[in-house]
Amino acid sequence: MNTRNLRFRSNRVRDILALYHEELDGIYGSGEVSAFGEMLFEAFLRWDKVRLLTSREQTIDQSDLLRFHWALEDLKRHRPIQHIIGHMDFCGCSIAVSPDVLIPRPETEEMVSWIVKSYGLRVMSGGILDLCTGSGCIAIALKKAFPTAEVTAVDVSSKALAMARQNAKNNGVDVHFVQADILPVNCQLPTANCQLIVSNPPYVMEKERAQMQPNVLNYDPALALFVPDDDPLRFYEAIAAIAKEHLAADGLLVVEINEALTSETCAVFEAQGFAPKVNEDFRGKHRWISATR
Ligand code: GLN
């Protein structure tokens, strides 16, 4: 394919960015499209923001232009930028992502940073258990923050675990991964006396599908997102039962939640003898519960 077959006016950086804005601003808004430009120039050419800002008149190779062409087509189809690039940053760790795992959200990153900041001393060298680990982002970031902690991460999906194992390796951390479905009562986990149990389980109700974006619906795994409308707290019930058995007396439990079910989720933990506290994310939404006995 040569430039004439592509819709870019030239190989110039300025023209590439202009076409991105023309074709994508209507879908994503201009601020997000500028961010896509920065992320793609960084991923494809290793240009940082300053280089991009000062190189508007520069031209790029035809093979690189082709990558920008395909990325533009993908973005028009709502393919997430993280899948196009293949990896993303989570608490300073590089996490590879694919349709087999939920793309880590900034809210989850905020929850992990909060754990490190508020409870670092308490969980520093105890056992940590991450339930429904997906890409492994939470477990890996915590192991990086607390190198002496023994971190175990559980997921039901073998494809997700393969990705999580690869992510742990890429980040040079040792996490123990276990394939298990936590829903059956008395699910057996090879870990006891944890100082921290953490989870971002599926919590979106089927009836909330209508409010979700196509990039989430078409590219994030439904298994990691949805719970039935008539049993939306099933994972929290399982987590509370596991915590009752595996959490140390002075241990900490932290779970991401659906803000539409805040009080109901708190009640699940109260019923098992925990004292839950609700925390807000940077958007001011109820986003995670922390609980002690
Ligand atoms: N917060 C995620 C979303 O909005 C859902 C994460 C989850 O179900 N655990 O898509």
Side-chain angles (χ1 to χ4, degrees):
M1 213 183 302
N2 62 36
T3 323
R4 261 173 290 133
N5 301 105
L6 305 179
R7 285 189 316 286
F8 297 108
R9 281 181 286 276
S10 77
N11 288 33
R12 235 172 265 286
V13 170
R14 152 167 62 81
D15 288 332
I16 297 168
L17 295 174
L19 189 66
Y20 267 64
H21 280 291
E22 271 164 45
E23 305 220 334
L24 298 175
D25 280 7
I27 308 176
Y28 297 101
S30 125
E32 197 162 349
V33 176
S34 299
F36 291 160
E38 287 171 6
M39 291 163 87
L40 292 172
F41 272 93
E42 167 73 46
F44 294 164
L45 297 171
R46 302 263 160 263
W47 286 15
D48 64 16
K49 282 185 208 173
V50 177
R51 170 115 194 241
L52 180 59
L53 262 174
T54 53
S55 308
R56 292 287 203 259
E57 301 308 319
Q58 200 169 318
T59 54
I60 65 168
D61 290 348
Q62 190 65 13
S63 58
D64 289 325
L65 189 68
L66 208 48
R67 300 180 79 185
F68 281 96
H69 165 78
W70 290 120
L72 177 57
E73 293 306 307
D74 280 345
L75 288 165
K76 286 201 289 200
R77 291 188 289 118
H78 300 276
R79 187 173 179 214
I81 187 85
Q82 295 88 346
H83 285 179
I84 295 171
I85 292 173
H87 57 87
M88 57 177 292
D89 183 82
F90 184 89
C91 293
C93 303
S94 174
I95 300 293
V97 289
S98 76
D100 293 327
V101 298
L102 187 81
I103 294 173
R105 309 290 203 252
E107 294 88 338
T108 309
E109 195 171 19
E110 194 185 0
M111 176 177 84
V112 171
S113 305
W114 177 87
I115 294 173
V116 173
K117 198 172 64 190
S118 320
Y119 286 91
L121 282 177
R122 200 196 275 204
V123 301
M124 197 152 38
S125 53
I128 296 177
L129 178 61
D130 172 24
L131 301 169
C132 310
T133 194
S135 65
C137 60
I138 297 177
I140 291 164
L142 289 173
K143 179 68 184 176
K144 248 211 159 135
F146 309 123
T148 54
E150 226 172 81
V151 182
T152 303
V154 177
D155 205 279
V156 69
S157 154
S158 56
K159 287 181 174 170
L161 282 175
M163 182 125 257
R165 282 200 178 92
Q166 190 58 45
N167 279 328
K169 200 166 161 209
N170 293 347
N171 286 282
V173 296
D174 193 12
V175 172
H176 180 51
F177 289 101
V178 176
Q179 185 174 7
D181 181 357
I182 64 165
L183 287 181
V185 182
N186 297 328
C187 112
Q188 295 299 314
L189 295 174
T191 171
N193 221 26
C194 299
Q195 209 51 43
L196 171 67
I197 294 181
V198 60
S199 181
N200 174 21
Y203 59 66
V204 181
M205 291 179 278
E206 290 286 348
K207 64 182 178 198
E208 293 174 308
R209 254 179 204 273
Q211 303 141 36
M212 294 173 79
Q213 300 297 322
N215 59 338
V216 177
L217 288 176
N218 298 338
Y219 293 93
D220 274 318
L223 182 69
L225 285 169
F226 293 108
V227 283
D229 291 344
D230 61 358
D231 190 15
L233 301 175
R234 50 178 19 182
F235 284 96
Y236 298 99
E237 280 153 10
I239 293 163
I242 290 168
K244 199 170 175 189
E245 195 183 331
H246 294 280
L247 195 68
D250 62 345
L252 176 73
L253 177 67
V254 181
V255 289
E256 189 171 316
I257 60 161
N258 184 336
E259 49 144 8
L261 298 168
T262 306
S263 53
E264 294 89 334
T265 314
C266 284
V268 168
F269 291 102
E270 279 157 4
Q272 294 284 12
F274 292 95
K277 267 196 271 181
V278 178
N279 298 269
E280 288 181 359
D281 66 19
F282 63 97
R283 297 184 223 270
K285 290 189 172 169
H286 292 167
R287 185 53 63 214
W288 68 90
I289 287 176
S290 50
T292 48
R293 283 184 205 272

